[in-house]
Amino acid sequence: MTGPRSLQWRISLWLGLGIALLWGIATVATAQRIRHEMDEVFDSALEETAQRLLPLAVLDILNREEGDKSQRIVTLREHDEYFTYAVRDARGEMLLRSHRADDSVFPPFSKMGFVDTPTHRIYFDAALQGTITIAVAEPLGHRREVANEALLGLAWPLALLIPASLLLVWGVVRVSMAPIRNLRTGIESRGSGDLTPIPAAGLPSEIGPIADAVNHLLLRLGRALDAERSFTANSAHELRTPVAAALAQTQRLIAETGDAASRERAQQIETALQRLSRLSEKLMQLARAEGGRLKGRETTDIASVAKMVVDEMARKPGMTERITLDVPGTPVPAGIDADSFAIVLRNLVENGLKHGLPDRPVAIALSGDGVLTVSNEGPSVPPDLLLRLLQPFERGRTAAEGSGLGLAIVNAIATGTGGRLVLSSPLPGRQSGFEARFSAPRPGVEGLTAGKARAG
């Protein structure tokens, strides 16, 4: 059996068990002390009773008439008689006894003081040089009964006090652990793009250094990620100008050359430069997606963004019949930056156009709760390949052109915004097709802006 994994429960459990054990030891020690004190009180009462009764008994015996030997004291009313006594002469003849005294209880006089029998505690005393003795007896069962009642009276408060102590310990520990729980919540709430310092105010001195170490780690991690993203973004951005210049010169060469072989080589160069231009654009999008700051400060109407992106893509030759759009007639608020959502939609549509059947349209649907679905007809994708498609430069088993970055960019945006991307193949109820479902994050603030997407 293993103990609880929670530090709060461990401290509460061990403190509670420790308190219960201490209370138990204290109770046993108190019980022993009470029993000892009660024995002294009862012994003192036996001795006091004997010393009070013996002079009265001697006077009564001396004043008797001849022939009166043994007498039994008559009680005025019935009552519990815990002490019984017997007065005897030197020969052991009974001279006086209490009304419920049992002769068999009293052993012969041997000495003054206390004597224990299996059933009674007896005190002996003597007068007139030992010619008259008295024995006062108390049942041992009476002492046990009184002791048990006293212990029961002590146990009842303890039965309530121990659970109350356990609850108090648990409450105190829980309140004391609140800063640690806040620290845990602060760490758990950090997304992949949120590397801001964790508040360390109010933490215990034992936990404060941990929070400081985590903040230093986040700072170093943020610097490393910023350097990596900056390098990727700057590299892709710096490639734009020379690639565009080289592409322009290549296109001019194609237009001016009259040699067929040279024109064919120039066209191959143009194709390669165009591929390089698209790759640099995708790298910039990936750097932006992994760089955070994807949530809009205000709520974005992603339905309007979807309409603008699809309208822009449909303007290209032959795209009107290749794209279908189904969006609600009312605004669809979401907690994502308009440009980020435009990148998501554009990459999902481009993925469907490249890998879907050329004679079947790519279907785009946006629900009122912010779920974007992009589906296309085409060969089904094996389940083991679906997860790999979310990795950068993973193109799967396709011969279509592409860099393998589109789905990785969408997945990075989903992770950074708190959304979700789910890939499924084949389409529901069919044996082929591919579907990408992007769940936009819920709006975090009130207000609605129609955010405009930048042309990619």
Side-chain angles (χ1 to χ4, degrees):
M1 180 178 180
T2 58
R5 299 181 62 184
S6 169
L7 179 61
Q8 173 179 311
W9 279 107
R10 286 183 184 179
I11 296 176
S12 301
L13 177 62
W14 289 113
L15 282 180
L17 292 177
I19 290 177
L21 180 61
L22 291 177
W23 275 113
I25 295 174
T27 302
V28 172
T30 303
Q32 295 296 329
R33 185 63 183 173
I34 290 177
R35 186 179 293 275
H36 177 73
E37 294 294 333
M38 290 176 61
D39 287 340
E40 289 186 351
V41 171
F42 284 124
D43 287 347
S44 176
L46 281 175
E47 185 177 358
E48 185 71 18
T49 301
Q51 293 180 2
R52 293 290 184 181
L53 290 177
L54 184 57
L56 298 177
V58 170
L59 290 177
D60 179 74
I61 293 171
L62 294 178
N63 292 329
R64 289 181 186 176
E65 297 179 358
E66 289 293 333
D68 292 339
K69 290 186 177 181
S70 177
Q71 291 187 0
R72 184 182 296 272
I73 300 299
V74 179
T75 183
L76 296 177
R77 62 187 64 85
E78 288 295 327
H79 64 280
D80 294 330
E81 190 176 58
Y82 298 114
F83 288 178
T84 57
Y85 61 90
V87 181
R88 291 179 287 195
D89 59 17
R91 296 188 303 273
E93 297 291 335
M94 190 67 66
L95 300 177
L96 184 67
R97 63 172 67 86
S98 58
H99 75 289
R100 288 187 178 179
D102 185 358
D103 293 350
S104 62
V105 170
F106 303 96
F109 178 83
S110 59
K111 64 176 182 177
M112 294 176 59
F114 292 95
V115 174
D116 288 328
T117 68
T119 58
H120 287 74
R121 174 83 166 168
I122 302 173
Y123 177 75
F124 286 99
D125 208 342
L128 300 180
Q129 298 181 351
T131 58
I132 298 178
T133 63
I134 186 172
V136 182
E138 178 193 10
L140 294 178
H142 174 246
R143 291 196 176 193
R144 288 192 295 268
E145 180 181 354
V146 173
N148 290 337
E149 290 180 356
L151 292 178
L152 185 62
L154 180 64
W156 274 113
L158 288 178
L160 299 176
L161 185 60
I162 290 178
S165 300
L166 296 179
L167 290 176
L168 180 61
V169 168
W170 181 83
V172 171
V173 172
R174 180 171 178 80
V175 171
S176 302
M177 296 286 286
I180 301 178
R181 290 196 302 273
N182 294 335
L183 175 64
R184 181 194 65 187
T185 303
I187 296 176
E188 290 178 346
S189 63
R190 294 296 190 273
S192 61
D194 187 2
L195 299 177
T196 56
I198 300 170
L203 287 176
S205 57
E206 296 83 359
I207 306 297
I210 298 178
D212 293 337
V214 172
N215 285 333
H216 287 311
L217 176 62
L218 290 176
L219 180 60
R220 293 195 300 269
L221 182 60
R223 289 174 178 173
L225 291 177
D226 288 342
E228 179 182 350
R229 292 163 185 161
S230 177
F231 174 78
T232 304
N234 291 335
S235 299
H237 181 74
E238 292 298 327
L239 281 175
R240 275 184 167 182
T241 302
V243 168
L247 184 60
Q249 293 295 330
T250 302
Q251 290 173 346
R252 182 177 178 180
L253 178 61
I254 294 173
E256 293 179 354
T257 185
D259 183 45
S262 299
R263 182 181 294 105
E264 182 179 358
R265 292 194 187 96
Q267 289 174 347
Q268 293 176 355
I269 296 174
E270 179 187 22
T271 302
L273 290 174
Q274 289 175 346
R275 186 182 300 115
L276 181 58
S277 178
R278 290 193 297 268
L279 177 60
S280 64
E281 183 66 26
K282 294 296 183 183
L283 288 174
M284 289 186 63
Q285 291 181 2
L286 182 61
R288 184 179 187 278
E290 293 180 343
R293 298 179 294 276
L294 302 174
K295 292 185 177 182
R297 295 184 178 180
E298 295 181 341
T299 303
T300 303
D301 177 16
I302 57 177
S304 300
V305 177
K307 293 177 182 178
M308 286 187 290
V309 172
V310 172
D311 181 66
E312 178 187 351
M313 298 184 71
R315 294 176 185 174
K316 297 180 180 179
M319 288 295 158
T320 304
E321 295 80 10
R322 293 293 315 276
I323 302 175
T324 63
L325 177 63
D326 181 15
V327 296
T330 57
V332 179
I336 183 174
D337 178 72
D339 289 342
S340 300
F341 184 76
I343 293 174
V344 167
L345 180 56
R346 191 184 303 276
N347 278 279
L348 291 180
V349 173
E350 289 178 352
N351 183 77
L353 292 173
K354 288 178 182 178
H355 305 292
L357 296 179
D359 57 343
R360 301 300 300 272
V362 175
I364 306 170
L366 180 65
S367 64
D369 56 354
V371 177
L372 173 67
T373 304
V374 179
S375 58
N376 61 271
E377 291 285 352
S380 62
V381 181
D384 60 333
L385 184 57
L386 283 177
L387 292 179
R388 297 209 309 268
L389 291 178
L390 300 179
Q391 301 176 4
F393 303 105
E394 178 62 52
R395 302 183 65 251
R397 305 170 184 174
T398 179
E401 293 185 358
S403 59
L405 291 174
L407 293 179
I409 293 171
V410 176
N411 186 56
I413 293 177
T415 303
T417 59
R420 186 184 181 190
L421 175 63
V422 178
L423 306 181
S424 58
S425 181
L427 294 174
R430 303 183 187 179
Q431 296 182 352
S432 61
F434 179 86
E435 178 182 273
R437 182 182 296 267
F438 174 79
S439 300
R442 294 288 185 178
V445 294
E446 297 296 330
L448 185 64
T449 60
K452 297 182 180 180
R454 289 181 296 208

